[in-house]
Amino acid sequence: MAAHIPEPVVMGVVNVTPDSFSDGGEWLDPAAAIAHGHALVAQGAAILDVGGESTRPGAEPVSAAEELRRVVPVLDGLAGAGARLSIDTSKAAVAAAALDAGATLVNDVTALRGDPRMAALVARRGCEVCLMHMLGEPRTMQRDPRYDDVVGDVRAFLAERLEHAVAQGIAPERVWLDPGIGFGKTIDHNLELLARLDEIVALGRPVVVGTSRKSFLGTITGRGPGDRVAGTIATNVLALARGASVFRVHDVAEARDGLLVAAATLRGRWTAPTTTSTTTSTTTSTTTTGSRPS
Ligand code: HH2
């Protein structure tokens, strides 16, 4: 268990795609995506992660022009929404336009390997960057992934990517790390990474985890993507106990509550939120007047 329990930061997912594995097509219309982003902020998202390309296993790549067409209007509509904006892309042209539109974090699932111009862009713009581990590429990554020691291998990869980022002029304090749950991993790999997440946290940078609705939760529980919120929260809470600080989720209200209670319990202290919830439903907005994870 981590000696220090971080303040949990909830990153809400806004997928502007027709084919994401759990919510493909739901937010493809810009107005719907913007409304969804506002609702996630009201539920407690401190960051909105906007993406225009699915990275689910087997996904086909999308052109930069199409990705830009999907995400830029949504980022424009979410500027001033009350959360930091993150762009989930591996293309420098998309990241540059997103930064122009107000994003301050680049979430690059290729960890600066997808586009040779990405590292220089991040260095020049001084934004934050999330470097994620992935074995192979989305089209093929789930075909028999193998590791010597999954935690050791992922940790060594992330340490090397952090070093590379710094060598490219990115300030180390701007780098977040992510073990890439489900990206070229079997269920056993995912479970071992979560169980030994403290070894990734020991690299000294904020750790992001993205377990939300992923298929290993369905394998364990027998439930479809929309019914995996309890499994998502269980993994988020365990990751928090091991020192993770940023939680990328689709179901923000539930994750926020689970993480706040877990953090209070693990620390043995709590503060009452100044949030007035008008409903217990997660599809209806809550009114947030004060503290949320930041
Ligand atoms: N997972 C997905 C996408 N982006 N980024 C980070 N840093 N960590 C993750 O675990 C991660 C991520 C996949 O989830 P989702 O966006 O819901 O699906 P899709 O890629 O099909 O759009």
Side-chain angles (χ1 to χ4, degrees), residues 13 15 17 19-23 49 53-56 88 107 109 130 132 178 180-181 183 208-212 214 248 250:
V13 178
N15 280 326
T17 58
D19 56 346
S20 287
F21 77 93
S22 79
D23 57 357
D49 190 35
E53 178 179 35
S54 171
T55 50
R56 74 181 154 72
D88 187 351
N107 176 22
V109 298
C130 177
M132 195 196 78
D178 185 330
I181 298 296
F183 285 85
V208 180
V209 283
T211 57
S212 189
K214 285 187 178 168
R248 184 182 182 278
H250 303 81

Side-chain angles (χ1 to χ4, degrees), residues 21-23 212-214 218 223-229 232 250-251:
F21 77 93
S22 79
D23 57 357
S212 189
R213 300 182 179 178
K214 285 187 178 168
R223 297 194 184 276
D227 295 320
R228 296 176 187 162
V229 64
T232 300
H250 303 81
D251 304 290

Side-chain angles (χ1 to χ4, degrees), residues 186-226:
T186 63
I187 180 169
D188 292 325
H189 294 145
N190 291 328
L191 296 178
E192 188 157 3
L193 278 164
L194 289 167
R196 294 169 54 197
L197 201 65
D198 50 314
E199 296 176 42
I200 308 292
V201 170
L203 290 170
R205 301 305 313 138
V207 168
V208 180
V209 283
T211 57
S212 189
R213 300 182 179 178
K214 285 187 178 168
S215 70
F216 77 109
L217 302 174
T219 307
I220 295 171
T221 62
R223 297 194 184 276

Side-chain angles (χ1 to χ4, degrees), residues 264-284:
T265 307
L266 290 163
R267 292 192 191 123
R269 69 188 152 73
W270 55 277
T271 45
T274 50
T275 301
T276 48
S277 178
T278 52
T279 174
T280 53
S281 163
T282 56
T283 49
T284 313

